[in-house]
Amino acid sequence: MADNKRPASMERITTSELANAFIDEQLAALRAQIGDKKVLLALSGGVDSSVVAALLIKAVGKQLTCVHVNHGLLRKGEPEQVIEVFRNQMDANLVYVDAVDRFLNKLEGVAEPERKRKIIGAEFIRVFEEEARKLDGIEFLAQGTIYPDILESGPVKAHHNVGGLPEDLQFELVEPLKFLFKDEVRVVGTALGLPANMVYRQPFPGPGLGVRCTGAITRDRLEAVRESDAILREEFAKNGLAGKVWQYFTIVPDFKTTGVKNDLRAYEWPVVIRAVNTRDAMTATVEDVPFSLLQHITERITHEVPGVNRVLFDLTPKPTGTIEWE
Ligand code: XMP
């Protein structure tokens, strides 16, 4: 356990100078740990794995292989950004795995939320394992574990663990961020030159849009989640809410309601907007989004997203509602 306790002497990283000192220290430590060996990293494009990737690219360059699994439940533009930033700009070894069909086929007809989560988690391990087996001589597995994952202090599920890999694929762990809090990871990420929209991303659950396409996921309804989420994010960014609201997203429930489009009856899905603030995700309050902005977003979603004729705003704090809908 001593290994897993943040040293009392460790100063809180709040400035770019402190971040640069941390980076220098970690580069030396990573080079000492890894030597000339090879490291593997599951790179989701989330804040933590992105910062680990940027550190390791600096420390050991092409000795690092990043594996980005697109499970089809990512937000609009995310896989493209991972490829652009890490392969094109940082010149990393990046294996991009298009596993969209594989995940969506496995999830077909599965309505129960915890089963959906289990399938997504298990399939992720399987895809990652297959990629790991294709690579020779990997000795280390890097993970974006951060201090709250170790403390397990909140209901934000520990997701930084490619645990579940079979016995013969046990690597030595490399966890350079394990004593950092989220705000510190962001300062370090900025100092490493990662784009602000990657470093200041809102939390995103491991099962991704899968828990926002309630019940059994269908491809067309999943696209409605992705497109409406992209519109919401664009409008929040334009109107100064992106940096202010803790988490905001859309849900498309698995039922339709009657509406009218172009003078014709349109039996289509509703989109639900959720925008909440919290410190630790244990409780949450609803953001007071300006009504005129909600009207504008409604106008856009109902006109731009196929299959949607209605928009609702979720007024429920946590408790009684959880942040996600499933
Ligand atoms: P709830 O819905 O429980 O969510 O109020 C609290 C926070 O946890 C995130 N969340 C998840 N994160 N895997 C994750 O990595 C999950 O299965 C999961 N479920 C919820 C949620 O987005 C919110 O920030």
Side-chain angles (χ1 to χ4, degrees):
M1 265 318 271
D3 230 355
N4 273 341
K5 196 153 165 35
R6 179 172 166 128
S9 60
M10 196 170 151
E11 198 175 343
R12 191 89 183 203
I13 303 169
T14 51
T15 63
S16 56
E17 289 74 33
L18 291 166
N20 286 330
F22 172 84
I23 292 166
D24 287 344
E25 210 176 273
Q26 285 305 315
L27 292 182
L30 288 168
R31 288 178 188 134
Q33 183 184 6
I34 296 162
D36 60 359
K37 305 291 195 310
K38 292 185 186 167
V39 197
L40 187 61
L41 169 72
L43 175 59
S44 68
V47 184
D48 308 326
S49 65
S50 295
V51 174
V52 170
L55 260 178
L56 280 163
I57 291 163
K58 260 202 149 122
V60 298
K62 294 275 163 101
Q63 288 162 249
L64 170 72
T65 300
C66 304
V67 176
H68 179 63
V69 178
N70 181 357
H71 54 25
L73 306 167
L74 299 170
R75 290 178 294 190
K76 189 171 179 175
E78 280 182 343
E80 293 81 0
Q81 189 184 29
V82 168
I83 293 171
E84 172 58 27
V85 169
F86 293 100
R87 184 184 286 163
N88 300 351
Q89 294 174 19
M90 295 192 169
D91 196 28
N93 265 330
L94 173 72
V95 178
Y96 169 75
V97 188
D98 179 348
V100 176
D101 285 338
R102 204 169 148 166
F103 277 80
L104 295 187
N105 291 343
K106 273 256 146 79
L107 287 163
E108 208 176 316
V110 180
E112 209 269 307
E114 290 314 309
R115 260 196 76 209
K116 283 163 71 175
R117 278 196 170 77
K118 282 216 176 82
I119 289 171
I120 296 164
E123 198 58 19
F124 180 86
I125 300 290
R126 225 163 287 143
V127 173
F128 189 72
E129 178 192 339
E130 286 172 19
E131 294 306 317
R133 288 198 192 285
K134 289 182 197 162
L135 301 164
D136 275 336
I138 301 282
E139 294 198 13
F140 295 92
L141 179 68
Q143 294 197 147
T145 314
I146 65 171
Y147 205 39
D149 298 326
I150 292 174
L151 299 174
E152 282 182 339
S153 58
V156 182
K157 285 80 178 172
H159 52 290
H160 293 299
N161 200 343
V162 192
L165 283 176
E167 280 289 305
D168 65 318
L169 270 186
Q170 293 300 321
F171 307 109
E172 184 177 327
L173 291 183
V174 175
E175 298 179 301
L177 310 179
K178 74 174 180 178
F179 293 137
L180 300 196
F181 289 97
K182 199 77 176 191
D183 54 308
E184 299 179 295
V185 176
R186 295 197 159 115
V187 179
V188 170
T190 305
L192 284 163
L194 289 173
N197 70 347
M198 194 170 241
V199 171
Y200 285 91
R201 272 171 47 136
Q202 50 171 324
F204 189 61
L209 302 181
V211 291
R212 298 171 182 172
C213 187
T214 67
I217 297 168
T218 59
R219 289 173 193 245
D220 48 2
R221 199 157 49 87
L222 182 60
E223 276 324 296
V225 180
R226 198 174 345 254
E227 290 300 323
S228 56
D229 172 76
I231 292 172
L232 183 74
R233 284 192 289 139
E234 190 188 319
E235 291 298 332
F236 268 37
K238 257 195 222 160
N239 290 279
L241 291 176
K244 177 177 173 254
V245 184
W246 196 80
Q247 200 171 15
Y248 47 96
F249 53 87
T250 61
I251 301 116
V252 182
D254 54 343
F255 60 82
K256 292 184 174 177
T257 73
T258 304
V260 58
K261 273 188 180 174
N262 305 320
D263 296 330
L264 290 174
R265 188 177 173 279
Y267 189 55
E268 296 181 331
W269 302 299
V271 161
V272 181
I273 296 174
R274 188 109 173 99
V276 296
N277 291 305
T278 177
R279 287 177 71 86
D280 56 8
M282 302 277 277
T283 62
T285 55
V286 177
E287 170 71 16
D288 186 356
V289 183
F291 194 69
S292 56
L293 177 59
L294 287 174
Q295 286 177 308
H296 175 63
I297 294 170
T298 300
E299 177 79 14
R300 282 200 60 191
I301 290 177
T302 51
H303 285 82
E304 295 175 34
V305 182
V308 172
N309 64 359
R310 204 180 278 277
V311 174
L312 314 175
F313 184 69
D314 187 348
L315 286 167
T316 323
K318 175 180 181 177
T320 54
T322 46
I323 295 175
E324 301 291 346
W325 266 38
E326 27 175 65

